[in-house]
Amino acid sequence: MKIITSPAEMKAFSLTHRRNSNSIGFVPTMGALHEGHLSLIDIARKHCGCAVASIFVNPAQFGPNEDFAKYPRAFERDCGLLEAAGCDCVFAPAVGDMYPDNYGTYVNVDGITDTLCGASRPGHFRGVATVVLKLFNIVLPDAAVFGSKDAQQVAVIRRMVEDLNLSVRIIAAPIAREAGGLAMSSRNAYLTIGERREAAAIYAGLAKSVEMYNDGCRDSQQIKNCVLTEINRSSTIKPEYVEAVDTKSLQPVDKIDGQVLIAVACRTSESGTRLIDNVVLKDKNL
Ligand code: PAF
């Protein structure tokens, strides 16, 4: 597995592969990898001849009081996991190469970045869209794979790709879960033992929403209340929001019709960890 740190070298690597008709499947990450990330590599390999992952903790997507400094970093371990998963190349640029001193260009995706997580993390999706566009321009992927846990991120990237006429196919991969249902996340490493146990309540709530939907309930408020009730059974998991929104526009819906995202964000009371999760409610024929 090749490890590249220079953007120019990464672009040269990708151009060589593309000239040889070898398609590139890209998995952007911030490292501290878990099985969920490795499942994205699997998908990239299934769709493309060459799998590239990036490891870059992107300062532009963290707010001033967020966890940029303490975000888990495990480069050697991550490279071992990626190699074992069949990744062909890791791109791990330095912050100064991505954002030199005179850096001044940012991508704003309007309309869908100020709700849900965007409401409590101003500027977060501007940072995500900016780095993802930069990574796309350096790695030149045919397809890029993102985890569906970050449903708003996937919606923002799809919108950016459409609005800016980018030639990258976006693949959303299913959420990888731990045995108790907790969605896998690099930030789960922050959880105390008690919080980790109680965090299963988030998926328990979402699973109840699927049950209610399958039993015929189409009322968003009833479904949101049921998710909240389940989460509130725990003493350390505090809901930030539980929303029912259209999967594309991310606008709230009163009635579950078509495809609706039930999205949850919580904060834990001991370690202050922010956890997100979601399910999509949709008719079996959709
Ligand atoms: O989902 C993530 O890990 C990050 O937001 C991403 C897409 C790698 C951009 O920094």
Side-chain angles (χ1 to χ4, degrees), residues 1 19 36 38 40 48 127 130 155 159 185 193 216 250 274 281:
M1 184 181 72
R19 274 191 208 112
L38 304 179
L40 307 185
C48 299
T130 301
R159 176 115 306 279
S185 163
I193 294 168
L250 303 185
R274 194 164 183 282
L281 302 181

Side-chain angles (χ1 to χ4, degrees), residues 149-168:
K149 175 174 70 70
D150 300 298
Q152 190 172 13
Q153 170 168 282
V154 175
V156 168
I157 290 162
R158 283 194 197 283
R159 176 115 306 279
M160 174 180 80
V161 164
E162 202 179 316
D163 287 353
L164 299 183
N165 309 89
L166 305 182
S167 308
V168 186

Side-chain angles (χ1 to χ4, degrees), residues 67-82:
D67 56 343
F68 174 70
K70 76 162 188 176
Y71 196 85
R73 287 158 172 90
F75 187 68
E76 304 297 325
R77 178 184 166 276
D78 288 348
C79 287
L81 291 172
L82 288 170

Side-chain angles (χ1 to χ4, degrees), residues 187-226:
R187 289 190 168 99
N188 290 354
Y190 301 151
L191 297 173
T192 65
I193 294 168
E195 285 176 341
R196 186 175 276 267
R197 192 179 51 244
E198 293 208 325
I202 301 173
Y203 184 60
L206 288 168
K208 280 247 159 87
S209 77
V210 176
E211 259 175 52
M212 279 181 85
Y213 177 83
N214 289 339
D215 288 346
C217 177
R218 295 291 181 269
D219 183 281
S220 297
Q221 196 55 54
Q222 277 182 25
I223 287 187
K224 289 192 290 182
N225 288 347
C226 162

Side-chain angles (χ1 to χ4, degrees), residues 41-257:
I41 299 287
D42 261 2
I43 295 173
R45 290 182 63 217
K46 280 198 185 98
H47 284 86
C48 299
C50 174
V52 176
S54 62
I55 297 180
F56 179 65
V57 186
N58 171 34
Q61 70 188 74
F62 289 81
N65 300 318
E66 292 188 347
D67 56 343
F68 174 70
K70 76 162 188 176
Y71 196 85
R73 287 158 172 90
F75 187 68
E76 304 297 325
R77 178 184 166 276
D78 288 348
C79 287
L81 291 172
L82 288 170
E83 184 154 31
C87 182
D88 298 290
C89 174
V90 175
F91 176 51
V95 171
D97 285 335
M98 292 296 274
Y99 301 109
D101 284 345
N102 57 350
Y103 191 82
T105 304
Y106 292 88
V107 181
N108 281 308
V109 180
D110 286 345
I112 56 172
T113 51
D114 43 12
T115 56
L116 304 177
C117 292
S120 60
R121 304 188 71 189
H124 170 67
F125 289 110
R126 174 186 189 253
V128 170
T130 301
V131 82
V132 169
L133 181 58
K134 283 174 69 69
L135 290 167
F136 283 179
N137 284 333
I138 296 167
V139 175
L140 308 173
D142 295 273
V145 192
F146 294 86
S148 297
K149 175 174 70 70
D150 300 298
Q152 190 172 13
Q153 170 168 282
V154 175
V156 168
I157 290 162
R158 283 194 197 283
R159 176 115 306 279
M160 174 180 80
V161 164
E162 202 179 316
D163 287 353
L164 299 183
N165 309 89
L166 305 182
S167 308
V168 186
R169 180 172 161 212
I170 302 301
I171 301 172
I175 300 177
R177 300 188 177 281
E178 296 184 0
L182 175 64
M184 287 188 186
S185 163
S186 305
R187 289 190 168 99
N188 290 354
Y190 301 151
L191 297 173
T192 65
I193 294 168
E195 285 176 341
R196 186 175 276 267
R197 192 179 51 244
E198 293 208 325
I202 301 173
Y203 184 60
L206 288 168
K208 280 247 159 87
S209 77
V210 176
E211 259 175 52
M212 279 181 85
Y213 177 83
N214 289 339
D215 288 346
C217 177
R218 295 291 181 269
D219 183 281
S220 297
Q221 196 55 54
Q222 277 182 25
I223 287 187
K224 289 192 290 182
N225 288 347
C226 162
V227 177
L228 270 172
T229 306
E230 202 58 43
I231 296 173
N232 284 333
R233 284 188 208 287
S234 75
S235 57
T236 56
I237 312 298
K238 306 293 169 202
E240 182 183 291
Y241 66 73
V242 174
E243 292 292 351
V245 297
D246 177 82
T247 48
K248 280 203 181 114
S249 69
L250 303 185
Q251 290 310 303
V253 294
D254 293 334
K255 193 169 171 292
I256 314 283
D257 193 14

Side-chain angles (χ1 to χ4, degrees), residues 1-20:
M1 184 181 72
K2 208 168 167 50
I3 298 178
I4 297 177
T5 55
S6 138
E9 201 187 319
M10 183 66 238
K11 202 174 236 185
F13 174 96
S14 292
L15 282 171
T16 305
H17 277 267
R18 290 181 71 119
R19 274 191 208 112
N20 294 331

